């Protein structure tokens, strides 16, 4: 899963990014509404976490601005402004959920799962391909109902390929699924993930193969 975090408290943003990373979530972070709109033009997000008090304005103004672009990405407001009428205001303007600070990461994860289960969400919670079933939200994969232990980044690569089975996935798309935009990516990092992932899938009898499309990306096919 890839989310956009719009939050002006850097320490909180860093801590939250680290916590979400443990759940297999790639987090792009910005402090500014203008940058947030630009990021939504450049990337596809599964969900957006939005603060209200931001350096360049009221966070709730982002919601109708995003909706005008035709994007229906679920938005959860995370804010210290948690009085009942403030929650009503946030939900009425179009937020999918509203969570007051401070909060537990476990509660945030539960709320993310809830908004992603809604029919309006485009997220595919389970992907069946070959002999595998992948659950990107819980970061798990099984082969013939037996859990397959994969490192987080390899599983993110696998999920991105499986969502587009039989289609070539660009290197840039796979890198975006694994790394946030602030991370430095080594030129051979993706190739190393793919190489190790191929071996693990072969050893597990997963019934799929990853093909290289020279100079373009990779393609996942059932065997």
């Amino acid at each position: 899963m890839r989310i956009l975090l719009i939050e002006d408290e850097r320490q909180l943003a860093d801590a939250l990014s680290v916590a979400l990373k443990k759940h297999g979530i790639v987090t792009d972070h910005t402090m500014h509404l203008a940058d947030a709109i630009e990021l939504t033009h450049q990337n596809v997000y599964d969900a957006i976490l939005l603060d209200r008090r931001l350096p360049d304005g009221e966070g709730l103004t982002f919601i109708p601005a995003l909706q005008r672009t035709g994007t229906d990405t679920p938005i959860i407001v995370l804010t210290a402004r948690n009085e009942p009428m403030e929650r009503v205001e946030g939900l009425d303007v179009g937020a999918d959920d509203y969570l007051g600070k401070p909060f537990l990461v476990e509660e945030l994860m539960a709320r993310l799962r809830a908004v992603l289960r809604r029919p309006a969400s485009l997220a595919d919670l389970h992907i069946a391909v070959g002999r595998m079933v992948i659950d990107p939200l819980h970061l798990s994969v099984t082969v013939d109902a037996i859990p397959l232990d994969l490192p987080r980044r390899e599983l993110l690569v696998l999920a991105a390929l499986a969502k587009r089975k039989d289609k070539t996935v660009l290197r840039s798309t796979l890198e975006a699924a694994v790394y946030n935009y602030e991370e430095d990516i080594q030129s051979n990092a993706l190739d190393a993930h793919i190489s190790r992932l191929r071996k693990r899938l072969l050893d597990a009898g997963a019934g799929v193969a990853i093909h290289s499309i020279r100079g373009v990306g990779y393609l996942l096919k059932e065997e």
Side-chain angles (χ1 to χ4, degrees):
M1 192 195 307
R2 186 183 186 123
I3 66 168
L4 175 61
L5 172 62
I6 310 169
E7 168 61 63
D8 69 334
E9 294 181 44
R10 186 73 203 202
Q11 187 173 4
L12 172 61
D14 289 346
L16 190 54
S17 296
V18 170
L20 292 174
K21 185 176 182 179
K22 295 178 181 177
H23 292 271
I25 298 175
V26 175
T27 305
D28 288 347
H29 169 241
T30 183
M31 301 181 182
H32 302 284
L33 294 169
D35 292 340
I37 289 292
E38 183 63 27
L39 284 168
T40 61
H41 291 161
Q42 297 172 1
N43 304 289
V44 176
Y45 293 104
D46 295 289
I48 295 171
L49 305 180
L50 173 67
D51 191 16
R52 288 193 61 170
R53 293 191 180 102
L54 295 165
D56 55 344
E58 159 67 75
L60 293 185
T61 62
F62 171 83
I63 299 175
L66 183 67
Q67 291 171 338
R68 284 193 292 271
T69 69
T71 302
D72 60 358
T73 306
I75 298 174
I76 300 178
V77 176
L78 305 178
T79 179
R81 297 179 60 178
N82 196 33
E83 294 298 320
M85 290 311 298
E86 290 176 321
R87 295 198 297 273
V88 170
E89 182 184 12
L91 294 169
D92 279 348
V93 82
D96 293 86
D97 203 348
Y98 199 103
L99 183 58
K101 298 176 182 176
F103 55 85
L104 296 175
V105 172
E106 289 78 9
E107 182 178 4
L108 175 58
M109 286 302 305
R111 290 172 182 259
L112 277 171
R113 289 192 291 270
V115 298
L116 290 172
R117 282 196 297 266
R118 294 174 187 171
S121 172
L122 299 179
D124 187 355
L125 298 186
H126 291 88
I127 307 165
V129 57
R131 294 164 59 193
M132 299 184 301
V133 175
I134 304 166
D135 182 348
L137 190 56
H138 293 90
L139 207 63
S140 66
V141 57
T142 59
V143 176
D144 293 335
I146 300 173
L148 176 60
D149 186 20
L150 292 177
R152 183 184 67 88
R153 282 180 169 162
E154 289 178 27
L155 203 154
L156 292 173
V157 170
L158 177 61
L161 288 168
K163 286 178 182 178
R164 302 162 181 85
K165 183 188 72 169
D166 297 327
K167 296 180 181 179
T168 299
V169 184
L170 300 178
R171 292 181 63 90
S172 59
T173 300
L174 291 172
E175 289 172 346
V178 178
Y179 304 98
N180 68 43
Y181 75 102
E182 295 177 319
E183 290 183 274
D184 291 326
I185 306 172
Q186 299 297 319
S187 60
N188 65 341
L190 178 61
D191 302 308
H193 291 315
I194 293 286
S195 177
R196 290 191 292 267
L197 182 56
R198 278 175 170 150
K199 184 178 186 307
R200 296 181 200 275
L201 294 176
L202 180 62
D203 291 345
V208 297
I210 301 173
H211 299 270
S212 299
I213 309 301
R214 184 179 294 275
V216 180
Y218 293 92
L219 178 149
L220 183 77
K221 291 181 70 71
E222 294 183 340
E223 293 185 314

